[in-house]
mmCIF file with all atom_site columns, all heavy atoms in Angstrom:
data_model
loop_
_atom_site.group_PDB
_atom_site.id
_atom_site.type_symbol
_atom_site.label_atom_id
_atom_site.label_alt_id
_atom_site.label_comp_id
_atom_site.label_asym_id
_atom_site.label_entity_id
_atom_site.label_seq_id
_atom_site.pdbx_PDB_ins_code
_atom_site.Cartn_x
_atom_site.Cartn_y
_atom_site.Cartn_z
_atom_site.occupancy
_atom_site.B_iso_or_equiv
_atom_site.pdbx_formal_charge
_atom_site.auth_seq_id
_atom_site.auth_comp_id
_atom_site.auth_asym_id
_atom_site.auth_atom_id
_atom_site.pdbx_PDB_model_num
ATOM 1   N N   . LYS V 1 1  ? 101.382 87.236 -28.868 1.00 0.00 ? 98  LYS V N   1
ATOM 2   C CA  . LYS V 1 1  ? 101.360 87.496 -27.431 1.00 0.00 ? 98  LYS V CA  1
ATOM 3   C C   . LYS V 1 1  ? 102.393 86.602 -26.744 1.00 0.00 ? 98  LYS V C   1
ATOM 4   O O   . LYS V 1 1  ? 102.762 85.554 -27.251 1.00 0.00 ? 98  LYS V O   1
ATOM 5   C CB  . LYS V 1 1  ? 99.973  87.214 -26.839 1.00 0.00 ? 98  LYS V CB  1
ATOM 6   C CG  . LYS V 1 1  ? 98.893  88.185 -27.304 1.00 0.00 ? 98  LYS V CG  1
ATOM 7   C CD  . LYS V 1 1  ? 97.571  87.876 -26.604 1.00 0.00 ? 98  LYS V CD  1
ATOM 8   C CE  . LYS V 1 1  ? 96.494  88.859 -27.016 1.00 0.00 ? 98  LYS V CE  1
ATOM 9   N NZ  . LYS V 1 1  ? 95.192  88.579 -26.327 1.00 0.00 ? 98  LYS V NZ  1
ATOM 10  N N   . ILE V 1 2  ? 102.852 87.054 -25.578 1.00 0.00 ? 99  ILE V N   1
ATOM 11  C CA  . ILE V 1 2  ? 103.723 86.209 -24.771 1.00 0.00 ? 99  ILE V CA  1
ATOM 12  C C   . ILE V 1 2  ? 102.845 85.213 -24.037 1.00 0.00 ? 99  ILE V C   1
ATOM 13  O O   . ILE V 1 2  ? 101.956 85.584 -23.281 1.00 0.00 ? 99  ILE V O   1
ATOM 14  C CB  . ILE V 1 2  ? 104.539 87.053 -23.763 1.00 0.00 ? 99  ILE V CB  1
ATOM 15  C CG1 . ILE V 1 2  ? 105.491 88.001 -24.507 1.00 0.00 ? 99  ILE V CG1 1
ATOM 16  C CG2 . ILE V 1 2  ? 105.326 86.139 -22.829 1.00 0.00 ? 99  ILE V CG2 1
ATOM 17  C CD1 . ILE V 1 2  ? 106.252 88.934 -23.581 1.00 0.00 ? 99  ILE V CD1 1
ATOM 18  N N   . ARG V 1 3  ? 103.094 83.953 -24.312 1.00 0.00 ? 100 ARG V N   1
ATOM 19  C CA  . ARG V 1 3  ? 102.302 82.901 -23.688 1.00 0.00 ? 100 ARG V CA  1
ATOM 20  C C   . ARG V 1 3  ? 103.194 81.683 -23.528 1.00 0.00 ? 100 ARG V C   1
ATOM 21  O O   . ARG V 1 3  ? 103.829 81.249 -24.481 1.00 0.00 ? 100 ARG V O   1
ATOM 22  C CB  . ARG V 1 3  ? 101.081 82.568 -24.549 1.00 0.00 ? 100 ARG V CB  1
ATOM 23  C CG  . ARG V 1 3  ? 100.116 81.601 -23.910 1.00 0.00 ? 100 ARG V CG  1
ATOM 24  C CD  . ARG V 1 3  ? 98.932  81.297 -24.827 1.00 0.00 ? 100 ARG V CD  1
ATOM 25  N NE  . ARG V 1 3  ? 98.020  82.434 -24.956 1.00 0.00 ? 100 ARG V NE  1
ATOM 26  C CZ  . ARG V 1 3  ? 97.877  83.162 -26.053 1.00 0.00 ? 100 ARG V CZ  1
ATOM 27  N NH1 . ARG V 1 3  ? 98.608  82.882 -27.129 1.00 0.00 ? 100 ARG V NH1 1
ATOM 28  N NH2 . ARG V 1 3  ? 97.024  84.165 -26.091 1.00 0.00 ? 100 ARG V NH2 1
ATOM 29  N N   . MET V 1 4  ? 103.248 81.113 -22.320 1.00 0.00 ? 101 MET V N   1
ATOM 30  C CA  . MET V 1 4  ? 104.178 80.024 -22.034 1.00 0.00 ? 101 MET V CA  1
ATOM 31  C C   . MET V 1 4  ? 103.536 78.671 -22.326 1.00 0.00 ? 101 MET V C   1
ATOM 32  O O   . MET V 1 4  ? 103.372 77.826 -21.445 1.00 0.00 ? 101 MET V O   1
ATOM 33  C CB  . MET V 1 4  ? 104.659 80.111 -20.584 1.00 0.00 ? 101 MET V CB  1
ATOM 34  C CG  . MET V 1 4  ? 105.528 81.336 -20.311 1.00 0.00 ? 101 MET V CG  1
ATOM 35  S SD  . MET V 1 4  ? 104.694 82.941 -20.504 1.00 0.00 ? 101 MET V SD  1
ATOM 36  C CE  . MET V 1 4  ? 103.550 82.922 -19.137 1.00 0.00 ? 101 MET V CE  1
ATOM 37  N N   . ASP V 1 5  ? 103.186 78.469 -23.595 1.00 0.00 ? 102 ASP V N   1
ATOM 38  C CA  . ASP V 1 5  ? 102.499 77.262 -24.010 1.00 0.00 ? 102 ASP V CA  1
ATOM 39  C C   . ASP V 1 5  ? 103.494 76.300 -24.663 1.00 0.00 ? 102 ASP V C   1
ATOM 40  O O   . ASP V 1 5  ? 103.910 76.513 -25.805 1.00 0.00 ? 102 ASP V O   1
ATOM 41  C CB  . ASP V 1 5  ? 101.391 77.614 -24.994 1.00 0.00 ? 102 ASP V CB  1
ATOM 42  C CG  . ASP V 1 5  ? 100.577 76.403 -25.421 1.00 0.00 ? 102 ASP V CG  1
ATOM 43  O OD1 . ASP V 1 5  ? 100.921 75.272 -24.998 1.00 0.00 ? 102 ASP V OD1 1
ATOM 44  O OD2 . ASP V 1 5  ? 99.612  76.574 -26.184 1.00 0.00 ? 102 ASP V OD2 1
ATOM 45  N N   . PRO V 1 6  ? 103.883 75.224 -23.969 1.00 0.00 ? 103 PRO V N   1
ATOM 46  C CA  . PRO V 1 6  ? 104.902 74.322 -24.523 1.00 0.00 ? 103 PRO V CA  1
ATOM 47  C C   . PRO V 1 6  ? 104.408 73.465 -25.679 1.00 0.00 ? 103 PRO V C   1
ATOM 48  O O   . PRO V 1 6  ? 105.194 72.741 -26.289 1.00 0.00 ? 103 PRO V O   1
ATOM 49  C CB  . PRO V 1 6  ? 105.291 73.457 -23.317 1.00 0.00 ? 103 PRO V CB  1
ATOM 50  C CG  . PRO V 1 6  ? 104.090 73.467 -22.440 1.00 0.00 ? 103 PRO V CG  1
ATOM 51  C CD  . PRO V 1 6  ? 103.472 74.824 -22.606 1.00 0.00 ? 103 PRO V CD  1
ATOM 52  N N   . SER V 1 7  ? 103.105 73.535 -25.998 1.00 0.00 ? 104 SER V N   1
ATOM 53  C CA  . SER V 1 7  ? 102.596 72.808 -27.155 1.00 0.00 ? 104 SER V CA  1
ATOM 54  C C   . SER V 1 7  ? 102.605 73.667 -28.415 1.00 0.00 ? 104 SER V C   1
ATOM 55  O O   . SER V 1 7  ? 102.270 73.182 -29.500 1.00 0.00 ? 104 SER V O   1
ATOM 56  C CB  . SER V 1 7  ? 101.174 72.303 -26.883 1.00 0.00 ? 104 SER V CB  1
ATOM 57  O OG  . SER V 1 7  ? 100.265 73.396 -26.785 1.00 0.00 ? 104 SER V OG  1
ATOM 58  N N   . SER V 1 8  ? 102.988 74.939 -28.286 1.00 0.00 ? 105 SER V N   1
ATOM 59  C CA  . SER V 1 8  ? 102.973 75.875 -29.408 1.00 0.00 ? 105 SER V CA  1
ATOM 60  C C   . SER V 1 8  ? 104.343 75.966 -30.068 1.00 0.00 ? 105 SER V C   1
ATOM 61  O O   . SER V 1 8  ? 105.328 76.320 -29.411 1.00 0.00 ? 105 SER V O   1
ATOM 62  C CB  . SER V 1 8  ? 102.548 77.265 -28.925 1.00 0.00 ? 105 SER V CB  1
ATOM 63  O OG  . SER V 1 8  ? 102.845 78.242 -29.898 1.00 0.00 ? 105 SER V OG  1
ATOM 64  N N   . PRO V 1 9  ? 104.451 75.670 -31.352 1.00 0.00 ? 106 PRO V N   1
ATOM 65  C CA  . PRO V 1 9  ? 105.737 75.811 -32.050 1.00 0.00 ? 106 PRO V CA  1
ATOM 66  C C   . PRO V 1 9  ? 106.290 77.230 -31.975 1.00 0.00 ? 106 PRO V C   1
ATOM 67  O O   . PRO V 1 9  ? 107.515 77.422 -31.935 1.00 0.00 ? 106 PRO V O   1
ATOM 68  C CB  . PRO V 1 9  ? 105.402 75.425 -33.490 1.00 0.00 ? 106 PRO V CB  1
ATOM 69  C CG  . PRO V 1 9  ? 104.178 74.571 -33.385 1.00 0.00 ? 106 PRO V CG  1
ATOM 70  C CD  . PRO V 1 9  ? 103.399 75.138 -32.242 1.00 0.00 ? 106 PRO V CD  1
ATOM 71  N N   . SER V 1 10 ? 105.415 78.217 -31.941 1.00 0.00 ? 107 SER V N   1
ATOM 72  C CA  . SER V 1 10 ? 105.873 79.612 -31.879 1.00 0.00 ? 107 SER V CA  1
ATOM 73  C C   . SER V 1 10 ? 106.460 79.938 -30.512 1.00 0.00 ? 107 SER V C   1
ATOM 74  O O   . SER V 1 10 ? 107.527 80.545 -30.400 1.00 0.00 ? 107 SER V O   1
ATOM 75  C CB  . SER V 1 10 ? 104.717 80.565 -32.206 1.00 0.00 ? 107 SER V CB  1
ATOM 76  O OG  . SER V 1 10 ? 104.239 80.366 -33.513 1.00 0.00 ? 107 SER V OG  1
ATOM 77  N N   . ALA V 1 11 ? 105.749 79.547 -29.442 1.00 0.00 ? 108 ALA V N   1
ATOM 78  C CA  . ALA V 1 11 ? 106.238 79.811 -28.090 1.00 0.00 ? 108 ALA V CA  1
ATOM 79  C C   . ALA V 1 11 ? 107.494 78.996 -27.775 1.00 0.00 ? 108 ALA V C   1
ATOM 80  O O   . ALA V 1 11 ? 108.323 79.405 -26.949 1.00 0.00 ? 108 ALA V O   1
ATOM 81  C CB  . ALA V 1 11 ? 105.149 79.499 -27.064 1.00 0.00 ? 108 ALA V CB  1
ATOM 82  N N   . MET V 1 12 ? 107.654 77.866 -28.435 1.00 0.00 ? 109 MET V N   1
ATOM 83  C CA  . MET V 1 12 ? 108.793 76.981 -28.202 1.00 0.00 ? 109 MET V CA  1
ATOM 84  C C   . MET V 1 12 ? 109.885 77.155 -29.255 1.00 0.00 ? 109 MET V C   1
ATOM 85  O O   . MET V 1 12 ? 110.806 76.335 -29.346 1.00 0.00 ? 109 MET V O   1
ATOM 86  C CB  . MET V 1 12 ? 108.315 75.530 -28.193 1.00 0.00 ? 109 MET V CB  1
ATOM 87  C CG  . MET V 1 12 ? 107.453 75.148 -27.012 1.00 0.00 ? 109 MET V CG  1
ATOM 88  S SD  . MET V 1 12 ? 108.423 74.744 -25.547 1.00 0.00 ? 109 MET V SD  1
ATOM 89  C CE  . MET V 1 12 ? 108.936 73.073 -25.958 1.00 0.00 ? 109 MET V CE  1
ATOM 90  N N   . ALA V 1 13 ? 109.836 78.225 -30.036 1.00 0.00 ? 110 ALA V N   1
ATOM 91  C CA  . ALA V 1 13 ? 110.764 78.390 -31.161 1.00 0.00 ? 110 ALA V CA  1
ATOM 92  C C   . ALA V 1 13 ? 112.222 78.380 -30.721 1.00 0.00 ? 110 ALA V C   1
ATOM 93  O O   . ALA V 1 13 ? 113.090 77.820 -31.406 1.00 0.00 ? 110 ALA V O   1
ATOM 94  C CB  . ALA V 1 13 ? 110.448 79.685 -31.912 1.00 0.00 ? 110 ALA V CB  1
ATOM 95  N N   . SER V 1 14 ? 112.527 79.001 -29.581 1.00 0.00 ? 111 SER V N   1
ATOM 96  C CA  . SER V 1 14 ? 113.925 79.049 -29.134 1.00 0.00 ? 111 SER V CA  1
ATOM 97  C C   . SER V 1 14 ? 114.435 77.666 -28.757 1.00 0.00 ? 111 SER V C   1
ATOM 98  O O   . SER V 1 14 ? 115.624 77.363 -28.911 1.00 0.00 ? 111 SER V O   1
ATOM 99  C CB  . SER V 1 14 ? 114.078 80.007 -27.945 1.00 0.00 ? 111 SER V CB  1
ATOM 100 O OG  . SER V 1 14 ? 113.314 79.566 -26.831 1.00 0.00 ? 111 SER V OG  1
ATOM 101 N N   . LEU V 1 15 ? 113.544 76.817 -28.266 1.00 0.00 ? 112 LEU V N   1
ATOM 102 C CA  . LEU V 1 15 ? 113.935 75.460 -27.899 1.00 0.00 ? 112 LEU V CA  1
ATOM 103 C C   . LEU V 1 15 ? 114.093 74.593 -29.152 1.00 0.00 ? 112 LEU V C   1
ATOM 104 O O   . LEU V 1 15 ? 115.024 73.794 -29.252 1.00 0.00 ? 112 LEU V O   1
ATOM 105 C CB  . LEU V 1 15 ? 112.889 74.858 -26.957 1.00 0.00 ? 112 LEU V CB  1
ATOM 106 C CG  . LEU V 1 15 ? 113.378 73.824 -25.939 1.00 0.00 ? 112 LEU V CG  1
ATOM 107 C CD1 . LEU V 1 15 ? 114.467 74.419 -25.061 1.00 0.00 ? 112 LEU V CD1 1
ATOM 108 C CD2 . LEU V 1 15 ? 112.233 73.316 -25.086 1.00 0.00 ? 112 LEU V CD2 1
ATOM 109 N N   . VAL V 1 16 ? 113.198 74.761 -30.103 1.00 0.00 ? 113 VAL V N   1
ATOM 110 C CA  . VAL V 1 16 ? 113.296 74.017 -31.361 1.00 0.00 ? 113 VAL V CA  1
ATOM 111 C C   . VAL V 1 16 ? 114.601 74.355 -32.079 1.00 0.00 ? 113 VAL V C   1
ATOM 112 O O   . VAL V 1 16 ? 115.239 73.489 -32.686 1.00 0.00 ? 113 VAL V O   1
ATOM 113 C CB  . VAL V 1 16 ? 112.075 74.310 -32.262 1.00 0.00 ? 113 VAL V CB  1
ATOM 114 C CG1 . VAL V 1 16 ? 112.249 73.668 -33.632 1.00 0.00 ? 113 VAL V CG1 1
ATOM 115 C CG2 . VAL V 1 16 ? 110.788 73.818 -31.609 1.00 0.00 ? 113 VAL V CG2 1
ATOM 116 N N   . ALA V 1 17 ? 115.029 75.616 -31.966 1.00 0.00 ? 114 ALA V N   1
ATOM 117 C CA  . ALA V 1 17 ? 116.260 76.047 -32.628 1.00 0.00 ? 114 ALA V CA  1
ATOM 118 C C   . ALA V 1 17 ? 117.489 75.352 -32.057 1.00 0.00 ? 114 ALA V C   1
ATOM 119 O O   . ALA V 1 17 ? 118.538 75.292 -32.715 1.00 0.00 ? 114 ALA V O   1
ATOM 120 C CB  . ALA V 1 17 ? 116.408 77.566 -32.504 1.00 0.00 ? 114 ALA V CB  1
ATOM 121 N N   . ARG V 1 18 ? 117.389 74.804 -30.842 1.00 0.00 ? 115 ARG V N   1
ATOM 122 C CA  . ARG V 1 18 ? 118.526 74.147 -30.202 1.00 0.00 ? 115 ARG V CA  1
ATOM 123 C C   . ARG V 1 18 ? 118.404 72.625 -30.225 1.00 0.00 ? 115 ARG V C   1
ATOM 124 O O   . ARG V 1 18 ? 119.123 71.919 -29.510 1.00 0.00 ? 115 ARG V O   1
ATOM 125 C CB  . ARG V 1 18 ? 118.644 74.633 -28.748 1.00 0.00 ? 115 ARG V CB  1
ATOM 126 C CG  . ARG V 1 18 ? 118.837 76.136 -28.603 1.00 0.00 ? 115 ARG V CG  1
ATOM 127 C CD  . ARG V 1 18 ? 119.099 76.547 -27.182 1.00 0.00 ? 115 ARG V CD  1
ATOM 128 N NE  . ARG V 1 18 ? 120.345 75.963 -26.673 1.00 0.00 ? 115 ARG V NE  1
ATOM 129 C CZ  . ARG V 1 18 ? 120.847 76.244 -25.462 1.00 0.00 ? 115 ARG V CZ  1
ATOM 130 N NH1 . ARG V 1 18 ? 120.216 77.080 -24.664 1.00 0.00 ? 115 ARG V NH1 1
ATOM 131 N NH2 . ARG V 1 18 ? 121.959 75.672 -25.059 1.00 0.00 ? 115 ARG V NH2 1
ATOM 132 N N   . ARG V 1 19 ? 117.539 72.088 -31.040 1.00 0.00 ? 116 ARG V N   1
ATOM 133 C CA  . ARG V 1 19 ? 117.242 70.666 -30.980 1.00 0.00 ? 116 ARG V CA  1
ATOM 134 C C   . ARG V 1 19 ? 118.429 69.778 -31.341 1.00 0.00 ? 116 ARG V C   1
ATOM 135 O O   . ARG V 1 19 ? 118.491 68.619 -30.908 1.00 0.00 ? 116 ARG V O   1
ATOM 136 C CB  . ARG V 1 19 ? 116.058 70.340 -31.894 1.00 0.00 ? 116 ARG V CB  1
ATOM 137 C CG  . ARG V 1 19 ? 116.300 70.560 -33.381 1.00 0.00 ? 116 ARG V CG  1
ATOM 138 C CD  . ARG V 1 19 ? 114.993 70.414 -34.123 1.00 0.00 ? 116 ARG V CD  1
ATOM 139 N NE  . ARG V 1 19 ? 115.183 70.319 -35.567 1.00 0.00 ? 116 ARG V NE  1
ATOM 140 C CZ  . ARG V 1 19 ? 114.190 70.208 -36.431 1.00 0.00 ? 116 ARG V CZ  1
ATOM 141 N NH1 . ARG V 1 19 ? 112.945 70.190 -35.986 1.00 0.00 ? 116 ARG V NH1 1
ATOM 142 N NH2 . ARG V 1 19 ? 114.423 70.117 -37.707 1.00 0.00 ? 116 ARG V NH2 1
ATOM 143 N N   . ALA V 1 20 ? 119.382 70.294 -32.091 1.00 0.00 ? 117 ALA V N   1
ATOM 144 C CA  . ALA V 1 20 ? 120.550 69.482 -32.465 1.00 0.00 ? 117 ALA V CA  1
ATOM 145 C C   . ALA V 1 20 ? 121.548 69.343 -31.313 1.00 0.00 ? 117 ALA V C   1
ATOM 146 O O   . ALA V 1 20 ? 122.452 68.499 -31.372 1.00 0.00 ? 117 ALA V O   1
ATOM 147 C CB  . ALA V 1 20 ? 121.242 70.082 -33.680 1.00 0.00 ? 117 ALA V CB  1
ATOM 148 N N   . GLU V 1 21 ? 121.386 70.145 -30.263 1.00 0.00 ? 118 GLU V N   1
ATOM 149 C CA  . GLU V 1 21 ? 122.354 70.136 -29.159 1.00 0.00 ? 118 GLU V CA  1
ATOM 150 C C   . GLU V 1 21 ? 122.070 69.030 -28.137 1.00 0.00 ? 118 GLU V C   1
ATOM 151 O O   . GLU V 1 21 ? 122.933 68.727 -27.302 1.00 0.00 ? 118 GLU V O   1
ATOM 152 C CB  . GLU V 1 21 ? 122.341 71.488 -28.437 1.00 0.00 ? 118 GLU V CB  1
ATOM 153 C CG  . GLU V 1 21 ? 122.700 72.680 -29.311 1.00 0.00 ? 118 GLU V CG  1
ATOM 154 C CD  . GLU V 1 21 ? 122.584 73.991 -28.547 1.00 0.00 ? 118 GLU V CD  1
ATOM 155 O OE1 . GLU V 1 21 ? 122.825 73.991 -27.325 1.00 0.00 ? 118 GLU V OE1 1
ATOM 156 O OE2 . GLU V 1 21 ? 122.224 75.002 -29.182 1.00 0.00 ? 118 GLU V OE2 1
ATOM 157 N N   . PHE V 1 22 ? 120.880 68.437 -28.176 1.00 0.00 ? 119 PHE V N   1
ATOM 158 C CA  . PHE V 1 22 ? 120.487 67.465 -27.160 1.00 0.00 ? 119 PHE V CA  1
ATOM 159 C C   . PHE V 1 22 ? 119.804 66.264 -27.815 1.00 0.00 ? 119 PHE V C   1
ATOM 160 O O   . PHE V 1 22 ? 119.327 66.340 -28.947 1.00 0.00 ? 119 PHE V O   1
ATOM 161 C CB  . PHE V 1 22 ? 119.530 68.104 -26.144 1.00 0.00 ? 119 PHE V CB  1
ATOM 162 C CG  . PHE V 1 22 ? 120.110 69.278 -25.399 1.00 0.00 ? 119 PHE V CG  1
ATOM 163 C CD1 . PHE V 1 22 ? 119.982 70.578 -25.890 1.00 0.00 ? 119 PHE V CD1 1
ATOM 164 C CD2 . PHE V 1 22 ? 120.796 69.090 -24.213 1.00 0.00 ? 119 PHE V CD2 1
ATOM 165 C CE1 . PHE V 1 22 ? 120.521 71.662 -25.210 1.00 0.00 ? 119 PHE V CE1 1
ATOM 166 C CE2 . PHE V 1 22 ? 121.341 70.155 -23.520 1.00 0.00 ? 119 PHE V CE2 1
ATOM 167 C CZ  . PHE V 1 22 ? 121.209 71.448 -24.024 1.00 0.00 ? 119 PHE V CZ  1
ATOM 168 N N   . ASP V 1 23 ? 119.749 65.160 -27.073 1.00 0.00 ? 120 ASP V N   1
ATOM 169 C CA  . ASP V 1 23 ? 118.994 64.007 -27.546 1.00 0.00 ? 120 ASP V CA  1
ATOM 170 C C   . ASP V 1 23 ? 117.496 64.242 -27.399 1.00 0.00 ? 120 ASP V C   1
ATOM 171 O O   . ASP V 1 23 ? 116.693 63.731 -28.181 1.00 0.00 ? 120 ASP V O   1
ATOM 172 C CB  . ASP V 1 23 ? 119.391 62.753 -26.750 1.00 0.00 ? 120 ASP V CB  1
ATOM 173 C CG  . ASP V 1 23 ? 120.852 62.380 -26.945 1.00 0.00 ? 120 ASP V CG  1
ATOM 174 O OD1 . ASP V 1 23 ? 121.340 62.480 -28.092 1.00 0.00 ? 120 ASP V OD1 1
ATOM 175 O OD2 . ASP V 1 23 ? 121.514 62.021 -25.955 1.00 0.00 ? 120 ASP V OD2 1
ATOM 176 N N   . ILE V 1 24 ? 117.130 65.006 -26.372 1.00 0.00 ? 121 ILE V N   1
ATOM 177 C CA  . ILE V 1 24 ? 115.733 65.341 -26.138 1.00 0.00 ? 121 ILE V CA  1
ATOM 178 C C   . ILE V 1 24 ? 115.672 66.621 -25.316 1.00 0.00 ? 121 ILE V C   1
ATOM 179 O O   . ILE V 1 24 ? 116.528 66.856 -24.461 1.00 0.00 ? 121 ILE V O   1
ATOM 180 C CB  . ILE V 1 24 ? 114.996 64.189 -25.414 1.00 0.00 ? 121 ILE V CB  1
ATOM 181 C CG1 . ILE V 1 24 ? 113.483 64.450 -25.366 1.00 0.00 ? 121 ILE V CG1 1
ATOM 182 C CG2 . ILE V 1 24 ? 115.561 63.968 -24.017 1.00 0.00 ? 121 ILE V CG2 1
ATOM 183 C CD1 . ILE V 1 24 ? 112.679 63.244 -24.882 1.00 0.00 ? 121 ILE V CD1 1
ATOM 184 N N   . LEU V 1 25 ? 114.711 67.457 -25.628 1.00 0.00 ? 122 LEU V N   1
ATOM 185 C CA  . LEU V 1 25 ? 114.481 68.673 -24.855 1.00 0.00 ? 122 LEU V CA  1
ATOM 186 C C   . LEU V 1 25 ? 113.032 68.686 -24.397 1.00 0.00 ? 122 LEU V C   1
ATOM 187 O O   . LEU V 1 25 ? 112.154 68.112 -25.044 1.00 0.00 ? 122 LEU V O   1
ATOM 188 C CB  . LEU V 1 25 ? 114.748 69.938 -25.676 1.00 0.00 ? 122 LEU V CB  1
ATOM 189 C CG  . LEU V 1 25 ? 116.167 70.183 -26.157 1.00 0.00 ? 122 LEU V CG  1
ATOM 190 C CD1 . LEU V 1 25 ? 116.285 69.803 -27.624 1.00 0.00 ? 122 LEU V CD1 1
ATOM 191 C CD2 . LEU V 1 25 ? 116.556 71.652 -25.974 1.00 0.00 ? 122 LEU V CD2 1
ATOM 192 N N   . THR V 1 26 ? 112.799 69.360 -23.280 1.00 0.00 ? 123 THR V N   1
ATOM 193 C CA  . THR V 1 26 ? 111.427 69.480 -22.787 1.00 0.00 ? 123 THR V CA  1
ATOM 194 C C   . THR V 1 26 ? 111.183 70.900 -22.286 1.00 0.00 ? 123 THR V C   1
ATOM 195 O O   . THR V 1 26 ? 112.106 71.571 -21.822 1.00 0.00 ? 123 THR V O   1
ATOM 196 C CB  . THR V 1 26 ? 111.147 68.465 -21.667 1.00 0.00 ? 123 THR V CB  1
ATOM 197 O OG1 . THR V 1 26 ? 109.766 68.566 -21.270 1.00 0.00 ? 123 THR V OG1 1
ATOM 198 C CG2 . THR V 1 26 ? 112.026 68.709 -20.453 1.00 0.00 ? 123 THR V CG2 1
ATOM 199 N N   . GLY V 1 27 ? 109.974 71.343 -22.444 1.00 0.00 ? 124 GLY V N   1
ATOM 200 C CA  . GLY V 1 27 ? 109.569 72.654 -21.923 1.00 0.00 ? 124 GLY V CA  1
ATOM 201 C C   . GLY V 1 27 ? 108.320 72.493 -21.088 1.00 0.00 ? 124 GLY V C   1
ATOM 202 O O   . GLY V 1 27 ? 107.520 71.571 -21.297 1.00 0.00 ? 124 GLY V O   1
ATOM 203 N N   . ASN V 1 28 ? 108.141 73.373 -20.104 1.00 0.00 ? 125 ASN V N   1
ATOM 204 C CA  . ASN V 1 28 ? 106.955 73.341 -19.242 1.00 0.00 ? 125 ASN V CA  1
ATOM 205 C C   . ASN V 1 28 ? 106.292 74.709 -19.215 1.00 0.00 ? 125 ASN V C   1
ATOM 206 O O   . ASN V 1 28 ? 106.956 75.724 -19.414 1.00 0.00 ? 125 ASN V O   1
ATOM 207 C CB  . ASN V 1 28 ? 107.326 72.970 -17.799 1.00 0.00 ? 125 ASN V CB  1
ATOM 208 C CG  . ASN V 1 28 ? 107.882 71.578 -17.669 1.00 0.00 ? 125 ASN V CG  1
ATOM 209 O OD1 . ASN V 1 28 ? 109.054 71.400 -17.376 1.00 0.00 ? 125 ASN V OD1 1
ATOM 210 N ND2 . ASN V 1 28 ? 107.052 70.580 -17.890 1.00 0.00 ? 125 ASN V ND2 1
ATOM 211 N N   . ASP V 1 29 ? 104.992 74.733 -18.942 1.00 0.00 ? 126 ASP V N   1
ATOM 212 C CA  . ASP V 1 29 ? 104.330 76.008 -18.721 1.00 0.00 ? 126 ASP V CA  1
ATOM 213 C C   . ASP V 1 29 ? 104.661 76.500 -17.314 1.00 0.00 ? 126 ASP V C   1
ATOM 214 O O   . ASP V 1 29 ? 105.448 75.892 -16.590 1.00 0.00 ? 126 ASP V O   1
ATOM 215 C CB  . ASP V 1 29 ? 102.829 75.896 -18.957 1.00 0.00 ? 126 ASP V CB  1
ATOM 216 C CG  . ASP V 1 29 ? 102.136 75.001 -17.942 1.00 0.00 ? 126 ASP V CG  1
ATOM 217 O OD1 . ASP V 1 29 ? 102.826 74.192 -17.296 1.00 0.00 ? 126 ASP V OD1 1
ATOM 218 O OD2 . ASP V 1 29 ? 100.902 75.101 -17.803 1.00 0.00 ? 126 ASP V OD2 1
ATOM 219 N N   . ALA V 1 30 ? 104.063 77.628 -16.910 1.00 0.00 ? 127 ALA V N   1
ATOM 220 C CA  . ALA V 1 30 ? 104.499 78.311 -15.684 1.00 0.00 ? 127 ALA V CA  1
ATOM 221 C C   . ALA V 1 30 ? 104.293 77.491 -14.420 1.00 0.00 ? 127 ALA V C   1
ATOM 222 O O   . ALA V 1 30 ? 105.053 77.628 -13.461 1.00 0.00 ? 127 ALA V O   1
ATOM 223 C CB  . ALA V 1 30 ? 103.781 79.652 -15.554 1.00 0.00 ? 127 ALA V CB  1
ATOM 224 N N   . ASP V 1 31 ? 103.279 76.621 -14.382 1.00 0.00 ? 128 ASP V N   1
ATOM 225 C CA  . ASP V 1 31 ? 103.086 75.787 -13.183 1.00 0.00 ? 128 ASP V CA  1
ATOM 226 C C   . ASP V 1 31 ? 103.426 74.329 -13.447 1.00 0.00 ? 128 ASP V C   1
ATOM 227 O O   . ASP V 1 31 ? 103.167 73.469 -12.607 1.00 0.00 ? 128 ASP V O   1
ATOM 228 C CB  . ASP V 1 31 ? 101.667 75.931 -12.635 1.00 0.00 ? 128 ASP V CB  1
ATOM 229 C CG  . ASP V 1 31 ? 100.614 75.318 -13.558 1.00 0.00 ? 128 ASP V CG  1
ATOM 230 O OD1 . ASP V 1 31 ? 100.729 75.508 -14.780 1.00 0.00 ? 128 ASP V OD1 1
ATOM 231 O OD2 . ASP V 1 31 ? 99.677  74.663 -13.064 1.00 0.00 ? 128 ASP V OD2 1
ATOM 232 N N   . ALA V 1 32 ? 103.999 74.051 -14.611 1.00 0.00 ? 129 ALA V N   1
ATOM 233 C CA  . ALA V 1 32 ? 104.571 72.740 -14.954 1.00 0.00 ? 129 ALA V CA  1
ATOM 234 C C   . ALA V 1 32 ? 103.561 71.603 -15.002 1.00 0.00 ? 129 ALA V C   1
ATOM 235 O O   . ALA V 1 32 ? 103.906 70.453 -14.758 1.00 0.00 ? 129 ALA V O   1
ATOM 236 C CB  . ALA V 1 32 ? 105.713 72.393 -13.999 1.00 0.00 ? 129 ALA V CB  1
#
């Protein structure tokens, strides 16, 4: 399912894929 859960490796997969581009990345849910 589409779910904006920043604690989920599956929902955050696109961000994890870019981890080498930054020193640190962060994601937030819909109301942060």
